[in-house]
């Protein structure tokens, strides 16, 4: 019974702590078409300053990270969609972050001053767009609202 309540409460978060979605990847591997998403209930007009914290290990084979970020409205229609490409390493292939606990962590700006005016349940989704699949060396990611 308690498990069912936990699952139900996770379906539509209010994101009071600022975290909109979070995923830790099993064996640091992100499978193709494994979209990272969660839903947030918006009760009244709200402005979001979205950023994503993402951690990589040395097993990550690329110098950059390319993704598609999409927000779906309460009717399931794409509300906003955008492609992003972030440079993670310099031209010599060195990480642009200091390692902590075996990971290189980045806080990436996603969407500043995103205004959602209509109430409803919105789905926030992240999909990677890398040339080979699956990608290895991705430890975890968290999408959060800096306005909280």
């Amino acid at each position: 019974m308690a498990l069912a309540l936990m699952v139900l409460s996770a379906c539509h978060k209010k994101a009071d702590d600022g975290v909109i979605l979070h995923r830790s990847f099993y064996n640091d591997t992100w499978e193709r078409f494994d979209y990272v998403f969660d839903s947030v209930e918006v009760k009244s007009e709200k402005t979001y300053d979205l950023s994503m914290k993402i951690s990589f290990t040395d097993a990550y084979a690329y110098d950059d990270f390319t993704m598609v970020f999409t927000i779906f409205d309460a009717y399931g229609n794409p509300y906003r969609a955008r492609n992003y490409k972030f440079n993670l390493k310099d031209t010599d292939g060195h990480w642009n972050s200091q390692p902590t606990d075996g990971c290189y962590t980045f806080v990436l700006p996603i969407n500043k001053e995103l205004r959602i005016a209509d109430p409803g349940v919105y789905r926030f989704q992240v999909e990677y767009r890398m040339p080979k699949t699956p990608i290895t060396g991705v430890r975890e990611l968290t999408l959060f609202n800096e306005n909280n």
Side-chain angles (χ1 to χ4, degrees):
M1 179 76 157
L3 178 61
L5 291 175
M6 285 184 357
V7 170
L8 289 174
S9 68
C11 291
H12 301 295
K13 297 187 298 186
K14 288 187 179 178
D16 292 333
D17 62 354
V19 173
I20 295 172
L21 62 85
H22 175 82
R23 168 77 66 84
S24 295
F25 296 96
Y26 178 72
N27 287 335
D28 300 336
T29 301
W30 191 351
E31 299 289 339
R32 184 73 179 124
F33 303 115
D34 178 14
Y35 305 132
V36 178
F37 64 89
D38 208 337
S39 297
V40 174
E41 183 177 0
V42 177
K43 292 190 179 217
S44 61
E45 182 175 315
K46 185 167 182 160
T47 301
Y48 291 85
D49 283 337
L50 299 175
S51 292
M52 186 173 69
K53 184 176 179 180
I54 188 165
S55 299
F56 301 91
T57 68
D58 281 320
Y60 188 73
Y62 304 101
D63 293 340
D64 58 25
F65 176 68
T66 304
M67 64 174 230
V68 177
F69 176 71
T70 307
I71 302 171
F72 296 90
D73 67 16
Y75 305 102
N77 301 314
Y79 179 72
R80 291 267 170 112
R82 184 171 174 198
N83 292 315
Y84 291 87
K85 182 175 182 177
F86 298 102
N87 292 324
L88 305 175
K89 298 178 182 177
D90 63 21
T91 55
D92 295 325
H94 299 108
W95 290 96
N96 291 326
S97 172
Q98 294 299 315
T100 303
D101 297 327
C103 290
Y104 302 91
T105 301
F106 298 85
V107 176
L108 309 172
I110 300 299
N111 202 326
K112 300 297 178 191
E113 298 183 14
L114 169 69
R115 186 174 148 259
I116 297 179
D118 297 326
V121 176
Y122 288 76
R123 177 175 157 155
F124 293 74
Q125 177 177 291
V126 178
E127 171 188 1
Y128 77 81
R129 291 287 185 160
M130 303 306 293
K132 293 184 181 177
T133 61
I135 55 175
T136 58
V138 183
R139 175 77 39 96
E140 66 182 356
L141 72 80
T142 303
L143 179 71
F144 62 97
N145 180 15
E146 294 185 42
N147 277 345
N148 267 14

